């Protein structure tokens, strides 16, 4: 039934990272802590992403992400059912920083657009793929770790425009089979333009490639 299908969905909250990162007004750690408690007590997500390890010059909003992580750890202790706490770590350097601060659930990021990747993390897709291997090898030795990989620009890149579905499908399959230690591959609709037709087309084609769909998730944006 529809109720059973909804009950089986797993919600991954990214308010404290994706929701805040582009807002110019800096949120204090007190405000973020209040948001954190509201999210986990009101919405009960399966997992939450509390920030990202990036240069504060690039994203000053994320400068206190490790402090938010510590607050999330404390909040998790008193929950009847603890949730998974993630940190976005786009580079090997950020993975090491997160690991040294007791993070054990990691979000990585790539895309299907070379132009987007170069602007986003100053690396080509090939460079990103090479670094991902090193990042994963560093993380998999951590006990009870989970790895989520965002694939950005599903359907459209804000720089290069529309991305061909066949290219998107090829990249999803590449990441799935090249990095078997990934627990989740999240298809990110960066521009908020993914149509149901294109989504169905992509899903139908990856279903035919013997992919475990429990590893596939979806991240949608609204158009401004």
């Amino acid at each position: 039934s529809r109720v059973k299908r909804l009950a089986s969905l797993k919600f991954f909250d990214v308010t404290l990272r994706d929701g805040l990162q582009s807002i110019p007004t800096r949120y204090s750690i007190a405000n973020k802590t209040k948001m954190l408690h509201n999210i986990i007590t009101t919405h009960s997500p399966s997992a939450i992403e509390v920030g990202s390890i990036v240069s504060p010059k690039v994203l000053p909003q994320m400068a206190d992400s490790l402090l938010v992580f510590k607050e999330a750890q404390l909040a998790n202790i008193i929950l009847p059912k603890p949730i998974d706490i993630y940190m976005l770590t786009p580079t090997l350097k950020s993975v090491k920083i997160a690991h040294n601060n007791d993070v054990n659930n990691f979000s990585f990021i790539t895309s299907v657009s070379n132009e987007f990747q170069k602007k986003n993390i100053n690396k080509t897709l090939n460079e990103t793929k090479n670094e991902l291997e090193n990042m994963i090898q560093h993380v998999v030795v951590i006990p009870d770790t989970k790895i989520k990989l965002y694939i950005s620009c599903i359907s459209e890149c804000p720089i290069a425009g529309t991305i061909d579905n066949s290219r998107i499908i090829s990249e999803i399959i590449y990441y799935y089979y090249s990095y078997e230690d990934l627990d989740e591959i999240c298809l990110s609709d960066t521009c908020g333009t993914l149509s149901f037709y294109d989504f169905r087309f992509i899903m139908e084609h990856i279903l035919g490639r013997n992919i475990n769909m429990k590893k596939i998730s979806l991240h949608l944006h609204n158009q401004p």
Side-chain angles (χ1 to χ4, degrees):
S1 70
R2 182 172 181 271
V3 173
K4 287 184 178 179
R5 290 198 301 270
L6 288 173
S8 68
L9 292 176
K10 294 183 178 180
F11 294 97
F12 189 119
D13 193 281
V14 295
T15 305
L16 290 164
R17 198 276 301 173
D18 194 45
L20 294 183
Q21 68 179 13
S22 59
I23 297 176
T25 303
R26 284 286 302 274
Y27 278 63
S28 68
I29 186 66
N31 284 337
K32 290 182 180 180
T33 301
K34 184 177 180 180
M35 291 176 66
L36 166 71
H37 284 276
N38 180 60
I39 290 165
I40 62 179
T41 57
T42 305
H43 303 291
S44 302
S46 301
I48 185 169
E49 199 170 83
V50 295
S52 60
I53 308 297
V54 293
S55 168
K57 293 181 180 179
V58 177
L59 280 177
Q61 186 75 266
M62 296 291 106
D64 55 5
S65 290
L66 288 171
L67 293 177
V68 181
F69 171 74
K70 297 299 182 185
E71 292 290 342
Q73 281 186 309
L74 292 172
N76 219 10
I77 294 172
I78 62 173
L79 290 177
K81 184 180 180 182
I83 62 176
D84 293 325
I85 306 167
Y86 281 73
M87 184 72 72
L88 182 70
T89 52
T91 64
L92 180 59
K93 179 181 178 181
S94 62
V95 165
K96 291 178 178 179
I97 293 171
H99 181 195
N100 289 337
N101 284 273
D102 300 323
V103 173
N104 66 338
N105 296 316
F106 299 79
S107 295
F108 300 158
I109 189 163
T110 185
S111 74
V112 294
S113 166
N114 200 55
E115 293 86 350
F116 180 86
Q117 200 67 8
K118 289 174 72 175
K119 183 176 181 180
N120 199 31
I121 64 169
N122 198 31
K123 292 183 184 295
T124 65
L125 284 179
N126 283 336
E127 289 170 339
T128 299
K129 289 172 180 177
N130 290 334
E131 188 169 37
L132 272 175
E133 183 64 40
N134 294 327
M135 292 161 67
I136 291 170
Q137 291 308 310
H138 186 92
V139 165
V140 292
V141 299
I142 303 171
D144 302 317
T145 191
K146 292 181 181 177
I147 308 172
K148 174 179 182 175
L149 175 67
Y150 289 99
I151 303 180
S152 298
C153 301
I154 300 299
S155 183
E156 183 179 356
C157 168
I159 303 166
T162 302
I163 307 294
D164 187 76
N165 280 336
S166 61
R167 179 176 168 186
I168 294 170
I169 293 163
S170 176
E171 288 295 288
I172 295 170
I173 293 168
Y174 168 82
Y175 286 108
Y176 182 87
Y177 284 108
S178 297
Y179 308 101
E180 295 184 355
D181 289 304
L182 295 174
D183 297 280
E184 180 180 348
I185 296 176
C186 184
L187 311 184
S188 183
D189 171 28
T190 306
C191 293
T193 55
L194 178 63
S195 69
F196 177 74
Y197 171 83
D198 286 330
F199 175 68
R200 183 174 63 182
F201 184 89
I202 293 166
M203 289 297 101
E204 287 175 348
H205 280 74
I206 66 173
L207 272 169
R209 302 300 182 95
N210 200 31
I211 283 178
N212 178 5
M213 296 304 290
K214 290 182 178 180
K215 280 193 171 186
I216 305 298
S217 61
L218 190 61
H219 179 97
L220 300 172
H221 286 112
N222 288 327
Q223 290 189 29

